């Protein structure tokens, strides 16, 4: 049986919110001004050192990848990433389905795209949109700390009847962006946010739904396994907090893992609980700092 060492960290948060992409239609981000120096390309194969092979239209049976190219800058400077206060670099990453100027359904809720130190030093970025599960690399998360579950391919996340009500051709808008802050740490108006945006045509066929659903799970599983793969455990694992709750046992945690991850073959060898001094609750707010009431 495959053995995996499982680290358990409990985080409670609410994540009930919708989002709207900037287009020519009136939206909550109607003041977004995409950077003139940013160009985005899409293809049905992972990009290499250029955007060769890029396309403007795809079918729902295709795999889709993106590439961002910046003129005269790297990601760190263009997106003003020095404002990031977490342990990881990231961009906010959103996709949405449109018919004409009307958005159908919501965009992806997990919108933080993990970047490496090597990524942000470059003037380009290759990223997954709807990847082959065997090649999925881009990790997205629901929090900028990347402490919750990871997933892959944001377009997989909006494959539903609201976004694609029937067999038809839809426009998929893609945004990579970050909020901007002034010297006092106050968030700037959204018209000053660094944004890269583009779109492609997506011919959707309901016969592909089963395959898309299966591929979403496989791609997410690959990203979850590979993104933070460690050769050694972090230091805190050997200096964990004392657990006094009698219900927090290896047997109980094993039962939860088998219940929630039925397709994973694993054996819980040991679990540690990290020392934590922050709040156990986090209220999710949208990009305007407002607590949403629903999608």
């Amino acid at each position: 049986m495959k053995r995996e060492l499982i680290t358990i960290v409990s985080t409670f948060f609410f994540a009930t919110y919708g989002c709207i992409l900037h287009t020519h239609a009136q939206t909550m981000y109607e003041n977004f001004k995409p950077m003139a120096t940013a160009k985005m390309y899409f293809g049905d194969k992972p990009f290499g050192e250029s955007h060769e092979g890029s396309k403007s239209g795809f079918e729902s049976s295709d795999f889709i990848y993106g590439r961002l190219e910046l003129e005269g800058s790297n990601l760190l400077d263009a997106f003003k990433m020095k404002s990031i206060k977490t342990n990881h670099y990231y961009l906010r990453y959103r996709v949405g389905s449109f018919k004409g100027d009307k958005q159908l359904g919501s965009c992806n809720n997990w919108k933080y795209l993990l970047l490496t130190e090597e990524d942000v030093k470059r003037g380009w970025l290759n990223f997954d949109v709807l990847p082959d599960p065997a090649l999925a690399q881009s990790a997205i998360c629901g929090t900028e700390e990347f402490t919750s579950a990871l997933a892959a391919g944001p377009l997989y996340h909006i494959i539903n009847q609201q976004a694609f009500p029937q067999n038809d051709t839809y426009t998929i808008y893609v945004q990579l962006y970050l909020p901007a802050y002034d010297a006092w740490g106050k968030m700037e108006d959204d018209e000053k946010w660094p944004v890269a945006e583009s779109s492609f045509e997506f011919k959707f066929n309901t016969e592909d739904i089963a395959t898309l659903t299966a591929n979403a799970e496989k791609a997410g599983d690959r990203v979850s396994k590979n993104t933070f793969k460690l050769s050694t455990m972090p230091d805190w694992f050997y200096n964990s907090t004392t657990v006094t709750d009698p219900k927090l046992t290896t047997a109980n945690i094993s039962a939860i893992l088998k219940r929630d991850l039925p397709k994973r073959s694993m054996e819980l060898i040991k679990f540690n609980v990290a020392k934590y001094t922050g709040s156990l609750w986090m209220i999710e707010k949208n990009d305007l700092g407002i607590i949403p009431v629903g999608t």
Side-chain angles (χ1 to χ4, degrees):
M1 178 182 294
K2 182 179 178 180
R3 299 192 172 201
E4 296 183 13
L5 192 60
I6 305 296
T7 301
I8 304 297
V9 178
S10 296
T11 303
F12 296 90
F13 66 97
F14 293 101
T16 305
Y17 58 95
C19 54
I20 302 176
L21 291 170
H22 166 81
T23 67
H24 296 296
Q26 183 177 1
T27 72
M28 60 186 277
Y29 291 118
E30 60 183 349
N31 294 324
F32 262 11
K33 295 181 180 179
M35 296 180 290
T37 56
K39 304 296 182 184
M40 200 178 289
Y41 304 90
F42 303 99
D44 56 7
K45 296 179 179 60
F47 288 104
E49 296 296 323
S50 72
H51 59 266
E52 182 179 358
S54 60
K55 301 171 58 177
S56 59
F58 304 88
E59 298 186 1
S60 53
S61 58
D62 293 332
F63 296 121
I64 306 174
Y65 304 87
R67 178 178 172 84
L68 171 67
E69 295 182 358
L70 299 171
E71 182 181 338
S73 182
N74 57 30
L75 271 72
L76 183 69
D77 295 332
F79 286 94
K80 303 177 182 179
M81 290 186 180
K82 292 182 180 179
S83 64
I84 293 176
K85 305 301 182 183
T86 67
N87 294 324
H88 304 285
Y89 288 112
Y90 61 82
L91 286 174
R92 295 194 186 188
Y93 180 15
R94 303 189 303 184
V95 301
S97 173
F98 281 75
K99 194 66 181 174
D101 62 358
K102 179 181 179 182
Q103 182 171 356
L104 304 180
S106 299
C107 63
N108 53 301
N109 281 337
W110 288 4
K111 58 185 176 181
Y112 294 96
L113 172 65
L114 181 66
L115 303 178
T116 66
E117 291 190 13
E118 290 73 24
D119 288 332
V120 303
K121 294 175 183 178
R122 301 185 184 116
W124 55 268
L125 176 70
N126 294 335
F127 57 94
D128 297 339
V129 181
L130 194 75
D132 180 340
L135 301 177
Q137 294 187 13
S138 299
I140 55 177
C141 190
T143 70
E144 63 267 40
E145 297 283 355
F146 293 90
T147 52
S148 62
L150 301 177
L155 185 49
Y156 281 124
H157 297 190
I158 64 168
I159 301 297
N160 55 58
Q161 194 169 7
Q162 290 71 42
F164 303 100
Q166 60 188 10
N167 291 349
D168 205 342
T169 299
Y170 301 85
T171 301
I172 305 300
Y173 279 86
V174 179
Q175 285 182 336
L176 295 173
Y177 70 101
L178 277 182
Y181 297 86
D182 64 18
W184 300 102
K186 181 181 178 182
M187 184 181 292
E188 300 268 22
D189 293 337
D190 51 21
E191 63 183 5
K192 296 182 179 180
W193 294 11
V195 180
E197 177 183 288
S198 191
S199 65
F200 57 84
E201 299 303 301
F202 187 63
K203 186 177 181 180
F204 183 77
N205 190 329
T206 54
E207 293 183 358
D208 295 324
I209 292 174
T211 299
L212 288 164
T213 301
N215 285 348
E217 183 174 346
K218 293 175 184 177
D221 188 53
R222 172 181 167 84
V223 165
S224 296
K225 288 180 179 179
N226 295 334
T227 300
F228 292 123
K229 185 178 289 185
L230 300 174
S231 57
T232 60
M233 295 306 296
D235 292 339
W236 66 259
F237 190 80
Y238 304 101
N239 186 28
S240 62
T241 188
T242 301
V243 179
T244 58
D245 189 339
K247 295 183 179 180
L248 195 60
T249 65
T250 298
N252 287 343
I253 293 177
S254 294
I256 293 172
L257 292 174
K258 290 179 180 179
R259 179 198 67 194
D260 294 345
L261 302 170
K263 296 183 180 180
R264 297 285 294 275
S265 176
M266 67 180 72
E267 177 182 349
L268 180 61
I269 300 172
K270 177 183 179 181
F271 75 89
N272 279 22
V273 178
K275 294 180 179 179
Y276 184 68
T277 58
S279 172
L280 294 177
W281 294 90
M282 182 179 73
I283 299 175
E284 183 68 27
K285 299 181 180 180
N286 63 23
D287 295 330
L288 301 178
I290 299 172
I291 302 173
V293 294
T295 59

